[in-house]
Amino acid sequence: MRIITGQYKGRHFDIPRTFKARPTTDFAKENIFNVLTAYLDWEDAEALDLFSGTGSISLELVSRGCRHVVSVEADRDHHAFIKQCLSRLGTDRCVAIRGDVFRFLKSCHQQFDFIFADPPYALPKLTDIPDLVLNGDLLKEGGIFVFEHGKQNDFSAHPRFLEHRSYGSVNFTLFR
């Protein structure tokens, strides 16, 4: 896993082979961040990374200048890996929380400029996530929510749908 651009551009982190997480591919990550540059100013943004997995998105957000990133991951080993990566970067701009995303969404009272969610594609409650995020008053006015999902999901009829991007088997739906 590598950081695409920003302060930590080019930094590599070896993901343990035992991990179940499927990190967003570098190709897909680079392309979606290129799209997002038209919508967001990363400098001083506050971001939330849900279902963080390997922490790839959280690390990218820190590297691009986000002032504060909250990374939420339930798996103990993945959470520990994210904390280890943050420690290697020597940054305190990201808080890694080990916990259930659905519980976190119910209890969070902070607002964010950018929210990213990459749940397991087979998650039973996957289609509930956009409404949980968007109706939970977590996104600041003008903020962007990016939802990564499989090709079988279509959120284009959602009232806050902004656009859809597909990179191979990776699909992103953007909401505002």
Side-chain angles (χ1 to χ4, degrees):
M1 168 178 82
R2 73 178 172 98
I3 297 176
I4 306 292
T5 198
Q7 179 181 359
Y8 304 109
K9 178 182 180 176
R11 293 287 297 265
H12 285 265
F13 300 91
D14 293 325
I15 301 168
R17 294 184 190 272
T18 57
F19 275 22
K20 303 175 288 243
R22 133 203 72 62
T24 303
T25 65
D26 284 351
F27 175 76
K29 182 169 62 169
E30 185 170 9
N31 279 289
I32 196 62
F33 271 95
N34 286 341
V35 169
L36 291 168
T37 301
Y39 292 109
L40 288 165
D41 178 13
W42 298 113
E43 197 70 29
D44 292 327
E46 295 188 16
L48 173 63
D49 182 11
L50 301 169
F51 304 97
S52 299
T54 62
S56 174
I57 298 298
S58 293
L59 297 173
E60 191 70 37
L61 291 166
V62 167
S63 184
R64 288 173 185 256
C66 285
R67 177 173 27 130
H68 183 67
V69 178
V70 176
S71 175
V72 183
E73 173 55 46
D75 184 274
R76 180 192 67 214
D77 295 335
H78 295 189
H79 173 260
F81 179 75
I82 294 167
K83 289 185 71 147
Q84 177 187 23
C85 291
L86 292 168
S87 177
R88 283 181 54 197
L89 292 180
T91 183
D92 62 355
R93 290 184 288 130
C94 183
V95 175
I97 296 173
R98 181 176 171 226
D100 178 79
V101 166
F102 295 101
R103 284 191 186 135
F104 176 85
L105 290 174
K106 286 180 185 175
S107 65
C108 182
H109 300 293
Q110 185 177 353
Q111 287 192 317
F112 300 91
D113 302 289
F114 177 70
I115 301 174
F116 186 90
D118 179 12
Y121 290 0
L123 187 72
K125 299 180 192 177
L126 182 128
T127 57
D128 297 343
I129 294 170
D131 283 334
L132 289 172
V133 169
L134 296 167
N135 296 336
D137 199 31
L138 297 168
L139 195 62
K140 291 180 182 177
E141 188 170 330
I144 298 289
F145 169 46
V146 174
F147 188 52
E148 183 175 334
H149 55 84
K151 63 182 177 185
Q152 70 277 12
N153 301 103
D154 179 6
F155 297 96
S156 60
H158 194 281
R160 294 183 62 183
F161 174 83
L162 185 58
E163 67 175 281
H164 174 263
R165 296 290 177 126
S166 178
Y167 305 103
S169 62
V170 180
N171 288 266
F172 297 103
T173 298
L174 285 67
F175 300 88
R176 178 166 258 168

